[in-house]
Amino acid sequence: MRRDHRPYWMHRAWEAYENAWVSHFVKAHFEALGPDPKIVRPWNMEVFGPNIRVGRALHVVTRSDQPVSFTVWSPGDVPGSITIGDCCFFAGGVRLLAGGSITIGDGALIAKSVTITDSDWHGLYDRIDPRPESKPVTIGRNVWIGDGAFVGKGISIGDNAVIGARSVVTRDVPANTVVAGNPARPVKELDPDGPYKTRMDLLGDPKGLNAFMENAYRDALKGNSTLGWLRSRLWPKAGD
């Protein structure tokens, strides 16, 4: 489809359905989930394990072939945790795997198919240990991690850093640094004074943003009809 043929009422109904799904099926699996979450197709999101806490305005986009999973493996008496700040974004295919601790700061952008894990999950010699070694992963504020990147155990990534697509991060990344490659190496330094525009700025006024988005959808879908949408689904034609 070249454009959205849905009538405005259908957009509103779909949003209400997704929000209700989050409230009924997803929220209960978090230790804490802040206000104003937006999860697209939330039935493709898995939250497993204890101590998973998220701040306000979580934004997750999933697809059936790109599920998102937040997983804490917490055997015995060593509880693991995932802690996510305010206004963070996670694209389809992201996996957070914590045996100990993963902490992600405010305003983080985590792109498609990123894996962040604090453990190798098996030892080189002992591959059946039910409680493998883990080392905390800490990701700062306003960090952008590109498509398909891997962040391994014990890594610290500083504020405003950028991790290039498909990078494998095996050592700490300083603040305001762009890294890329396998293993990831610095390729550029950013001005620490910016000025940066972040998701914290975008989502600083959730009610105002929601009103803006609704008006934008109303304008974009203006003139669409239920019959027109049905025709586009059953009998698509050039230009649809």
Side-chain angles (χ1 to χ4, degrees), residues 9-190:
W9 73 262
M10 190 176 293
H11 156 72
R12 292 285 293 171
W14 184 257
E15 290 250 314
Y17 178 61
E18 288 183 331
N19 292 340
W21 188 286
V22 172
S23 295
H24 186 74
F25 292 109
V26 178
K27 186 175 182 179
H29 297 287
F30 287 91
E31 192 76 21
L33 177 62
D36 303 310
K38 173 58 182 169
I39 303 177
V40 176
R41 303 178 191 90
W43 40 90
N44 297 321
M45 183 173 184
E46 180 183 59
V47 181
F48 177 84
N51 306 317
I52 301 176
R53 299 175 176 87
V54 182
R56 68 175 180 86
L58 170 71
H59 190 180
V60 180
V61 176
T62 79
R63 293 189 347 184
S64 59
D65 61 335
Q66 296 172 11
V68 170
S69 62
F70 296 172
T71 301
V72 172
W73 173 247
S74 188
D77 58 352
V78 183
S81 67
I82 293 174
T83 304
I84 298 169
D86 295 339
C87 306
C88 291
F89 173 86
F90 297 87
V94 168
R95 299 188 304 156
L96 306 184
L97 307 168
S101 171
I102 294 175
T103 302
I104 299 176
D106 296 340
L109 284 163
I110 313 298
K112 186 176 81 69
S113 301
V114 166
T115 296
I116 302 171
T117 179
D118 67 357
S119 175
D120 296 329
W121 301 106
H122 302 283
L124 292 176
Y125 295 96
D126 184 352
R127 304 188 186 184
I128 59 173
D129 183 356
R131 191 164 60 194
E133 178 190 30
S134 64
K135 295 181 180 179
V137 172
T138 302
I139 295 172
R141 294 172 297 170
N142 195 38
V143 169
W144 175 14
I145 302 181
D147 277 23
F150 177 89
V151 179
K153 68 180 184 182
I155 297 300
S156 177
I157 299 177
D159 295 350
N160 305 315
V162 178
I163 311 301
R166 306 294 188 270
S167 295
V168 177
V169 184
T170 59
R171 25 178 105 170
D172 290 351
V173 178
N176 309 302
T177 302
V178 180
V179 300
N182 180 8
R185 302 183 185 279
V187 296
K188 186 175 183 178
E189 298 295 324
L190 303 177

